[in-house]
Amino acid sequence: MTMPRNQIQKSLFPPLLAIMFLAGCGALNPFCGSARPKPLLTSVAPNPASLAQVQQGLLLTVNGSHFYSSSILLWNGQALPTTVMSGTQLQATITTTQISSPGTAQIVVHTPANLSGDLGCDSGGNSNALIFTVT
């Protein structure tokens, strides 16, 4: 016994609609297979650092998770040239161009989205912020 085409289409529509609706609520969306998770920042080292270290060019190491080859460090919202060491570590050199006197800066990791169109998927974005201190 075969099912008429219009019955097949009608029987598939409700489950597909339910999947698309639930995806917006954080449920597994089969259309989001290549979506990148939002990065998570767990530590910045060294922290604090002295102004003398910054004057010499301080190699800042950021640890966390969900880092990709296109992830970058943001220093008070400004992109820094970033080296991706692994999926859990990034590095950038901090100089007096970024901070010329004792103070603090907000460090964030940004990962661009890698999905085109609106599939109801979150992809990439900004991590939580950590504060970097120069003494």
Side-chain angles (χ1 to χ4, degrees):
M1 175 173 186
T2 60
M3 184 180 282
R5 179 183 289 234
N6 65 345
Q7 286 297 95
I8 293 172
Q9 290 171 337
K10 287 179 184 176
S11 67
L12 290 177
F13 184 73
L16 182 59
L17 185 60
I19 288 171
M20 292 175 73
F21 173 76
L22 290 174
C25 300
L28 180 62
N29 182 339
F31 302 112
C32 296
S34 64
R36 294 177 175 158
K38 189 167 144 178
L40 175 66
L41 188 52
T42 57
S43 68
V44 175
N47 195 16
S50 70
L51 184 57
Q53 289 174 294
V54 172
Q55 290 169 336
Q56 295 173 15
L58 174 73
L59 184 63
L60 187 69
T61 300
V62 171
N63 298 296
S65 59
H66 307 299
F67 300 160
Y68 293 85
S69 60
S70 58
S71 296
I72 57 170
L73 285 174
L74 299 179
W75 174 277
N76 289 331
Q78 299 297 313
L80 292 176
T82 303
T83 301
V84 178
M85 304 304 290
S86 70
T88 60
Q89 192 173 78
L90 305 175
Q91 290 184 332
T93 300
I94 306 303
T95 67
T96 53
T97 301
Q98 285 79 39
I99 190 164
S100 58
S101 61
T104 61
Q106 179 176 281
I107 306 294
V108 170
V109 175
H110 174 76
T111 298
N114 68 330
L115 295 173
S116 60
D118 184 8
L119 301 174
C121 310
D122 291 332
S123 183
N126 288 349
S127 71
N128 53 303
L130 293 180
I131 301 298
F132 175 72
T133 303
V134 175
T135 57

